[in-house]
Amino acid sequence: MHILIMGGTRFVGLHFARTALAAGHEVTVLHRGRSGAHLLPDATHLIADRDADLSLLRGLGWDATVDVSAYFPRQIRKLASALDPGAAGRYLLVSSMAVYDTPGAPAFTEDSPLLPADGPEADAVTPASYGPLKVRCERAAREAFGPDVLLVRPTYVIGPQDYTRRFDYWVQRLARGGEVLAPGRPDAPVQVVDARDLAAWMLALLERGASGAYHAATPPPFTMGGLLGAVASAVAPAGTTLTWVDDDFLRAADVPDSALPLWTTNPLVRATSTADPAAALATGLVLRPVAETARDIAPFDPLPQTLTPDQEADLLAAWNERLGKAPRQV
């Protein structure tokens, strides 16, 4: 196949491009040339801003288009209008689990109700607007490219080259050892997918001409306790302990979600962290163990907004004093 990737030089797009090239497909990546322009020497590079002029796409065509960088429906409509009819081939949109309204029960499927997304369209991506914008993007994709589009709804994506480095924080922190502050409850739901597994599966979907919506996530029940335990098994030195600190205590201490990545007290996020990936697994999604992903994370300096060692030590001291006993270990 000849595949167009809208993006392709960062994280999911980069892993997909590498996977497709390794499989012998022809890959064109459209990007702004600001990051990773030196990557993917075997791909064709088109330098353009999808929010500006896309006229360079006229007269070109592909068997498939993979869109990893659409956050606004106008971007999808603009892409469709810049292409000749049928030039996109089969269109795959990387959407998000954030499209869902509160599911009625755990292990919800792809036909669960979506968030309402009517009224004025948000002009900026925020925690509040992200989900409704992705709903609108899915709607725009079907309107522009027909009912056979592929809608991939991943949960938290982890793995090498993750520029958010949410999962990386836990790898680095557990690798340091000692007493580790674990936020909330160990049974709090969370789901992840390795970007490399996501990429390989998306390519397989395109190769077989699949369509429809699919979840990409670890099967529930998967929890923060399970996640941190898997990471610890891969990287933590002997004697490392986890101390689980209550949500209310952390909130009272003004600890933001970003300080402890993948932690949330948002009921909607927790409810939508129990998605059933059975449909994706039936179509060939293979999930590597979280411990394997942890071993593949390269060391980096901690992110500025995450908890510093001193802040963590202070919180643990206050929490243990409140408990009036030795740190809880799990």
Side-chain angles (χ1 to χ4, degrees):
M1 292 187 295
H2 191 178
I3 304 171
L4 170 66
I5 306 175
M6 298 298 292
T9 60
R10 298 178 76 193
F11 199 30
V12 173
L14 178 61
H15 285 296
F16 180 85
R18 286 173 170 167
T19 300
L21 287 167
H25 299 292
E26 296 180 43
V27 170
T28 299
V29 288
L30 187 146
H31 58 98
R32 295 173 297 179
R34 298 179 184 177
S35 62
H38 62 289
L39 301 173
L40 306 171
D42 295 327
T44 299
H45 290 251
L46 299 177
I47 306 302
D49 185 339
R50 69 178 302 164
D51 292 316
D53 184 10
L54 291 179
S55 60
L56 79 173
L57 295 178
R58 292 290 183 196
L60 303 177
W62 293 271
D63 300 305
T65 296
V66 175
D67 200 336
V68 299
S69 61
Y71 295 94
F72 298 96
R74 62 177 179 268
Q75 295 174 317
I76 296 172
R77 292 190 291 265
K78 184 177 182 66
L79 171 63
S81 66
L83 291 166
D84 296 331
R90 188 168 298 273
Y91 178 85
L92 184 157
L93 173 67
V94 178
S95 184
S96 170
M97 215 70 82
V99 297
Y100 291 106
D101 206 341
T102 304
F108 65 94
T109 58
E110 288 82 354
D111 58 359
S112 185
L114 305 183
L115 288 167
D118 298 318
E121 183 179 309
D123 56 6
V125 178
T126 67
S129 69
Y130 178 71
L133 281 172
K134 282 294 189 179
V135 174
R136 289 176 181 257
C137 283
E138 290 190 2
R139 186 185 304 164
R142 287 195 173 103
E143 292 171 352
F145 299 107
D148 291 336
V149 297
L150 271 163
L151 302 174
V152 172
R153 296 169 179 164
T155 178
Y156 291 115
V157 185
I158 63 176
Q161 284 87 49
D162 177 10
Y163 55 87
T164 74
R165 294 174 52 205
R166 293 173 295 205
F167 179 73
D168 298 20
Y169 168 82
W170 293 109
V171 175
Q172 295 172 47
R173 178 60 195 92
L174 284 160
R176 292 205 314 267
E179 184 186 6
V180 178
L181 190 159
R185 297 175 55 89
D187 61 355
V190 67
Q191 292 177 294
V192 295
V193 61
D194 190 297
R196 296 165 294 182
D197 300 333
L198 181 64
W201 169 65
M202 291 194 310
L203 180 62
L205 288 177
L206 290 172
E207 288 174 335
R208 66 168 60 103
S211 60
Y214 296 91
H215 295 157
T218 42
F222 194 72
T223 63
M224 278 295 288
L227 178 78
L228 298 189
V231 174
S233 71
V235 303
T240 300
T241 60
L242 293 174
T243 295
W244 293 91
V245 179
D246 287 349
D247 293 327
D248 291 343
F249 179 87
L250 294 172
R251 287 293 185 223
D254 294 324
V255 178
D257 288 358
S258 59
L260 292 163
L262 305 182
W263 167 59
T264 181
T265 57
N266 186 313
L268 178 59
V269 175
R270 288 190 171 181
T272 55
S273 295
T274 61
D276 183 1
L281 296 173
T283 57
L285 174 62
V286 177
L287 300 167
R288 72 191 68 204
V290 170
E292 181 179 328
T293 302
R295 285 190 287 268
D296 291 340
I297 298 300
F300 288 100
D301 293 333
L303 289 175
Q305 66 266 34
T306 54
L307 213 59
T308 67
D310 288 344
Q311 290 170 331
E312 181 186 26
D314 290 343
L315 286 167
L316 285 169
W319 175 250
N320 290 328
E321 181 179 0
R322 173 174 167 172
L323 291 179
K325 58 183 180 179
R328 294 180 295 171
Q329 300 178 9
V330 296

